[in-house]
Amino acid sequence: MVPDAKPQTFGDLEPSRWPGERLGLPESGPGSVARVGRRIGGLLIDWASAMLLALLFTPYESVAYTWVTPIVFGVLQVIFIPTLGGSIGHRAVGLRVVPLTGGWIGVWRPVVRTALLVFVVPALVWDSDQRGFHDKIAGSVLVRS
């Protein structure tokens, strides 16, 4: 490879200096990639909200409660991401979900993102930009507000 040449393949990519650099996002402040602490805080708020709302439909001790909670969680995500720019938990900790292409997030991205997120595993697999598999597939990124 020529010393000053730009990388041409994925394996030739240089490591980024901060999460989101390759996406054109700032290192810190508004618009920077959300870090782990805020992500976990937002997720805990969202899951607690889903658990409380699920209690309106099913008793806590029932088997149905274990199924209703993730459904409520998913519905809340799909409703609030396109309308508020993030879930209640995201907004409470100062985050928002944006498409990589810019503009409005739309409806299909939150649906895809949430469907994958409910399976949990995609959220545990991150790239160097700290984007989970669910965000990569949906073409979105969780950033600071």
Side-chain angles (χ1 to χ4, degrees):
M1 183 153 123
V2 180
D4 293 331
K6 296 277 185 192
Q8 299 298 314
T9 63
F10 179 75
D12 293 339
L13 290 176
E14 297 174 18
S16 56
R17 294 177 297 198
W18 65 83
E21 177 187 25
R22 287 185 241 184
L23 303 173
L25 301 175
E27 184 174 0
S28 60
S32 64
V33 171
R35 301 305 197 266
V36 176
R38 287 180 190 242
R39 289 173 185 264
I40 292 171
L43 181 62
L44 290 175
I45 291 168
D46 288 337
W47 194 256
S49 300
M51 289 176 70
L52 289 173
L53 287 171
L55 287 173
L56 297 174
F57 304 106
T58 58
Y60 181 75
E61 297 84 19
S62 72
V63 173
Y65 181 77
T66 61
W67 291 98
V68 171
T69 301
I71 291 169
V72 170
F73 174 84
V75 168
L76 292 174
Q77 296 286 312
V78 171
I79 289 172
F80 289 119
I81 290 174
T83 57
L84 297 179
S87 67
I88 298 296
H90 291 147
R91 302 308 287 168
V93 297
L95 302 176
R96 60 191 171 99
V97 180
V98 297
L100 287 176
T101 57
W104 183 53
I105 192 79
V107 176
W108 75 267
R109 282 186 178 92
V111 169
V112 169
R113 183 181 191 278
T114 302
L116 292 170
L117 185 60
V118 168
F119 289 110
V120 178
V121 174
L124 299 175
V125 180
W126 292 7
D127 66 7
S128 63
D129 291 314
Q130 295 184 359
R131 290 175 59 219
F133 187 66
H134 59 296
D135 275 324
K136 290 181 74 70
I137 296 296
S140 60
V141 62
L142 191 59
V143 298
R144 291 180 59 189
S145 305

